Amino acid sequence: MHQVPQAGARYLAALDYARRGLPVVPLHYVVRNRRTTEVACSCGEPACARVGAHPLPSHGFPDANVGLATGTSFDALVVHGSTGDNARWSVIADALRSAGPLVRTGGDTWHFLFAPMGLASQRPWGLAMAEWRGRGGWVVAPPSHHPGGAVAAWVRDLDTRLPELSPVIGQRLEQVGPAEPLTQLIYAQARD
């Protein structure tokens, strides 16, 4: 990767993603109070539910977290948390078997990447704490910072083949009614 003097890891990662042809979305970043353990979002909203995980306006890019737009180069199944019922575990096991690119965001959230399906972002039918990010969506990408202090990391990187969506997951998307407006979907989950 070409080195830019004084460039941070997130900036270099964004350049690498762009070179791969992935649409990059600059995201707000986590602001830490150096005297306390408090964290806030760079958006300045005291009650921000998406700290460091929503689009940044056209200023402040050097500190930005890195987001990747979904729906063109890839789609993502976003799974929040590691608890759930048999249906949820069946889908997670199927996503793991797909052996595609996988990200752990730094919280207890996982992004399973798949070949694009042409579907809008939506909640998969019957799966608590899961989202499908397709057209009009984005995901937080490594090495973005999580409010809890961890850094998003690739478990299996982008050089891994993008798998086709399996019927086990696809059926959960086909049974969904009209997609929720993206703003409701994205802001409904407080963690990423």
Side-chain angles (χ1 to χ4, degrees):
M1 181 182 328
H2 174 65
Q3 295 293 325
V4 177
Q6 306 294 320
R10 289 174 283 179
Y11 176 75
L12 293 173
L15 288 177
D16 184 52
Y17 297 140
R19 280 189 202 103
R20 292 171 179 263
L22 299 172
V24 177
V25 179
L27 301 177
H28 276 282
Y29 50 94
V30 177
V31 177
R32 298 187 188 291
N33 184 320
R34 293 177 191 229
R35 293 183 297 245
T36 70
T37 59
E38 293 180 27
V39 297
C41 187
S42 62
C43 71
E45 177 62 39
C48 180
R50 302 285 296 173
V51 175
H54 58 100
L56 182 69
S58 62
H59 63 282
F61 291 166
D63 294 323
N65 268 345
V66 181
L68 298 175
T70 56
T72 55
S73 299
F74 67 89
D75 288 347
L77 176 65
V78 177
V79 178
H80 302 281
S82 54
T83 61
D85 59 14
N86 287 341
R88 180 178 160 85
W89 281 111
S90 174
V91 168
I92 292 170
D94 189 67
L96 283 168
R97 278 191 299 274
S98 72
L102 174 61
V103 172
R104 179 157 189 184
T105 66
D108 194 13
T109 298
W110 302 85
H111 297 167
F112 297 89
L113 277 52
F114 292 94
M117 298 291 297
L119 299 171
S121 295
Q122 58 186 278
R123 292 187 191 279
W125 176 81
L127 291 179
M129 298 173 51
E131 303 168 42
W132 180 257
R133 302 271 177 92
R135 284 182 293 120
W138 69 87
V139 291
V140 174
S144 295
H145 291 237
H146 186 271
V151 176
W154 290 102
V155 176
R156 292 188 298 254
D157 68 20
L158 283 172
D159 292 330
T160 307
R161 175 192 61 82
L162 280 172
E164 296 294 322
L165 190 62
S166 76
V168 172
I169 299 170
Q171 291 170 356
R172 300 280 176 175
L173 300 174
E174 292 168 6
Q175 297 177 29
V176 174
E180 298 177 53
L182 184 61
T183 53
Q184 288 179 10
L185 175 67
I186 298 303
Y187 289 101
Q189 288 291 337
R191 38 178 194 212
D192 198 4

